[in-house]
């Protein structure tokens, strides 16, 4: 990842990945750590994972993007490689005010990576370009 | 990218102590300076350096074709290296978006270095912070995709030049904060000289936590050739840091 998360978050995520491998669910101690680090975003992110709201869209080129179906019914685009989400909360709390490190959608993406559970969608290279461009037109 | 820039900057200076891993480009680097401070020249020097390493082509994005090729360091412009630099000129922010969004569709080998000159012009078209953030994120994502295509152990570096103004308005300040969040490594260029009667630029490279800040003195000869030397440190000069007194850079 070009932009790295704070070390404590990276560590927690990799420990969780190892723990989940063995038990297929997140042990309570990690849930507590998540809540400690991220507050209510943790619960919302876990909820998004449970509801299968995260889709990994990939193309034959290997390039991929995540889309998360938010609680409002709106779909947000997340770039995990560099830590970006198209939702207003990210723009406000993370970028503008630096209050938070992550929005719930990005956290949901990282959790779904750890738990290796998310919807998968394969599209053509051209379709992926359109998906990435769409975000530009939305604004 | 800080690594590649550092190699450019130290080649003319004291003996290079021999860095380990040339495949690691380092974190994305932001090059900042006022108009005429040598950003394009330094960007181009980095392009030549990377082209010479034989890791892959270099992609140089800028709004307008360069009026004249900066001389860079060294004696002559090596045509073999020049051939490895692909220039593209997206004329608008929308075109730049299109280029980045479709980067995975482009045929041919993945570049080992992605350079963008004049980011401020593209940001100026779309002052919305969310748009600016998306553009910056796409630059990083494109470089990450190229790194993935280059294979294990190899990285595509990213270096972006941004013109700063003496009087920064609030839009600029917001963009700068955004950029500093996404670009851990930065190099500031400003007119300065180590002594009276001298002229040139002071390049201050901050590799973003991977090493100490280092400074160089950059001058241009009348034939356009760029000369780089470590910024001379004086005893008791608090601003010079670990700059240059010893041979190798850490």
């Amino acid at each position: 990842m070009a932009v790295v998360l704070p070390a404590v978050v990276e560590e927690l995520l990799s420990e969780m990945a190892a723990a989940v491998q063995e038990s297929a669910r997140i042990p309570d101690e990690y849930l507590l750590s998540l809540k400690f680090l991220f507050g209510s975003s943790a619960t919302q992110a876990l909820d998004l994972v449970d509801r299968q709201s995260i889709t990994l869209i990939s193309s034959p080129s290997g390039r991929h993007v995540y889309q998360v179906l938010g609680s409002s019914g709106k779909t947000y685009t997340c770039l995990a490689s560099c830590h970006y989400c198209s939702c207003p909360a990210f723009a406000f709390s993370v970028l503008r005010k630096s209050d938070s490190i992550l929005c719930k959608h990005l956290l949901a993406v990282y959790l779904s990576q750890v738990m290796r559970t998310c919807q998968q969608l394969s599209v053509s290279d051209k379709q992926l370009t359109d998906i990435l461009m769409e975000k530009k037109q939305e604004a | 990218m800080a690594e590649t820039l550092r190699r450019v900057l130290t080649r003319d200076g004291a003996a290079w102590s021999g860095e380990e891993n040339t495949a690691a480009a380092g974190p994305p680097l932001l090059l900042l300076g006022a108009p005429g401070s040598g950003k394009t020249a330094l960007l181009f020097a980095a392009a030549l350096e990377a082209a010479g390493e034989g890791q892959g082509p270099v992609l140089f994005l800028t709004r307008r074709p360069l009026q004249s090729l900066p001389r860079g360091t060294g004696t002559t412009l090596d045509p073999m290296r020049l051939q490895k630099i692909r220039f593209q000129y997206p004329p608008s922010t929308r075109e730049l978006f299109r280029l980045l969004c479709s980067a995975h569709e482009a045929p041919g080998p993945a570049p080992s270095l992605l350079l963008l000159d004049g980011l401020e012009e593209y940001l100026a078209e779309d002052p919305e912070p969310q748009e600016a953030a998306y553009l910056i994120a796409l630059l990083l994502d494109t470089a990450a995709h190229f790194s993935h295509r280059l294979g294990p152990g190899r990285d595509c570096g990213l270096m972006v030049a941004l013109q700063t103004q003496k009087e920064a308005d609030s839009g600029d300040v917001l963009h700068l904060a955004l950029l500093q969040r996404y670009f851990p490594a930065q190099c500031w260029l400003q007119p300065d000289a180590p002594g009276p009667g001298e002229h040139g630029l002071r390049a201050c490279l901050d590799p973003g936590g991977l090493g100490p800040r280092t400074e160089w003195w950059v001058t241009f000869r009348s034939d356009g050739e760029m000369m780089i030397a470590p910024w001379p440190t004086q005893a008791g000069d608090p601003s010079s840091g670990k700059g240059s007194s010893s041979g190798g850079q850490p």
Side-chain angles (χ1 to χ4, degrees):
Chain A
M1 214 186 282
V3 176
V4 294
L5 293 169
V8 63
V9 177
E10 290 269 349
E11 236 176 76
L12 177 61
L13 287 173
S14 56
E15 278 179 35
M16 278 174 64
V20 164
Q21 267 199 351
E22 296 161 36
S23 66
R25 55 173 281 281
I26 305 181
D28 288 344
E29 63 204 83
Y30 294 114
L31 292 176
L32 277 174
S33 304
L34 278 175
K35 294 211 173 117
F36 180 71
L37 281 174
F38 299 109
S40 60
S41 291
T43 322
Q44 293 168 324
L46 287 163
D47 195 39
L48 287 170
V49 174
D50 280 341
R51 286 197 268 135
Q52 304 272 322
S53 310
I54 300 117
T55 308
L56 168 60
I57 304 177
S58 38
S59 73
S61 65
R63 195 170 193 180
H64 54 270
V65 75
Y66 284 92
Q67 280 197 337
V68 181
L69 181 61
S71 37
S72 57
K74 247 195 127 195
T75 306
Y76 298 110
T77 303
C78 297
L79 293 173
S81 68
C82 58
H83 209 64
Y84 169 87
C85 178
S86 60
C87 76
F90 183 80
F92 191 71
S93 308
V94 179
L95 294 179
R96 210 176 185 108
K97 304 210 69 184
S98 294
D99 269 350
S100 327
I101 327 168
L102 291 174
C103 64
K104 62 189 177 195
H105 310 108
L106 267 174
L107 183 55
V109 166
Y110 296 135
L111 288 175
S112 74
Q113 283 176 334
V114 158
M115 298 177 66
R116 306 182 198 209
T117 162
C118 65
Q119 314 263 31
Q120 310 254 2
L121 179 63
S122 289
V123 299
S124 69
D125 288 340
K126 172 98 189 40
Q127 283 169 318
L128 188 65
T129 300
D130 291 340
I131 292 171
L132 290 168
M133 281 292 291
E134 223 175 79
K135 165 66 196 67
K136 163 71 181 146
Q137 276 149 17
E138 254 167 46
Chain B
M1 194 45 243
E3 270 314 300
T4 308
L5 183 61
R6 201 139 69 82
R7 281 200 285 280
V8 172
L9 292 166
T10 55
R11 197 177 39 189
D12 273 11
W16 183 236
S17 66
E19 275 292 332
E20 13 17 75
N21 185 6
T22 53
L29 180 106
L30 185 63
L31 196 55
L32 300 137
S37 56
K39 300 181 295 301
T40 306
L42 211 49
L43 216 54
F44 190 67
L48 288 173
E49 176 75 18
E53 282 166 15
Q55 302 273 356
V58 172
L59 184 56
F60 195 116
L61 304 176
T62 177
R63 200 141 173 154
R64 279 169 289 277
L66 301 177
Q67 292 301 317
S68 60
L69 291 178
R71 283 291 303 279
T73 59
T75 46
T76 50
L77 271 178
D78 178 358
M80 292 297 292
R81 291 192 184 202
L82 211 47
Q83 261 178 7
K84 296 218 177 87
I85 306 179
R86 279 197 323 239
F87 288 93
Q88 283 189 264
Y89 310 104
S92 64
T93 310
R94 189 175 173 74
E95 281 310 307
L96 179 58
F97 265 109
R98 189 188 304 279
L99 201 154
L100 296 172
C101 290
S102 61
H104 56 284
E105 288 188 73
S112 60
L113 179 58
L114 175 59
L115 300 159
L116 175 71
D117 196 10
L119 177 62
E120 74 287 346
E121 294 185 59
Y122 294 106
L123 291 179
E125 264 185 56
D126 237 328
E128 275 274 343
Q130 183 119 31
E131 287 303 305
Y134 191 48
L135 180 58
I136 297 161
L138 271 178
L139 279 165
L140 284 139
D141 188 67
T142 304
H145 170 68
F146 289 148
S147 299
H148 170 79
R149 263 175 51 194
L150 285 170
R154 292 180 60 200
D155 259 349
C156 174
L158 175 65
M159 194 159 143
V160 171
L162 180 86
Q163 186 171 288
T164 55
Q165 302 296 337
K166 288 207 175 97
E167 319 293 326
D169 65 29
S170 64
D172 284 347
V173 168
L174 190 60
H175 285 155
L176 203 51
L178 253 181
L179 285 162
Q180 289 176 329
R181 173 181 271 282
Y182 279 110
F183 286 86
Q186 282 146 40
C187 182
W188 289 87
L189 288 169
Q190 60 204 70
D192 203 348
E198 293 171 322
H199 57 275
L201 300 159
R202 184 176 188 143
C204 178
L205 174 63
D206 182 345
L210 292 179
R213 266 179 37 164
T214 43
E215 296 182 325
W216 284 274
W217 181 27
V218 181
T219 45
F220 292 92
R221 291 199 331 203
S222 51
D223 63 358
E225 183 171 338
M226 190 165 68
M227 310 285 294
I228 299 178
W231 190 264
T233 53
Q234 280 118 30
D237 180 357
S239 67
S240 53
K242 278 187 173 183
S244 56
S245 45
S246 57
Q249 297 287 352

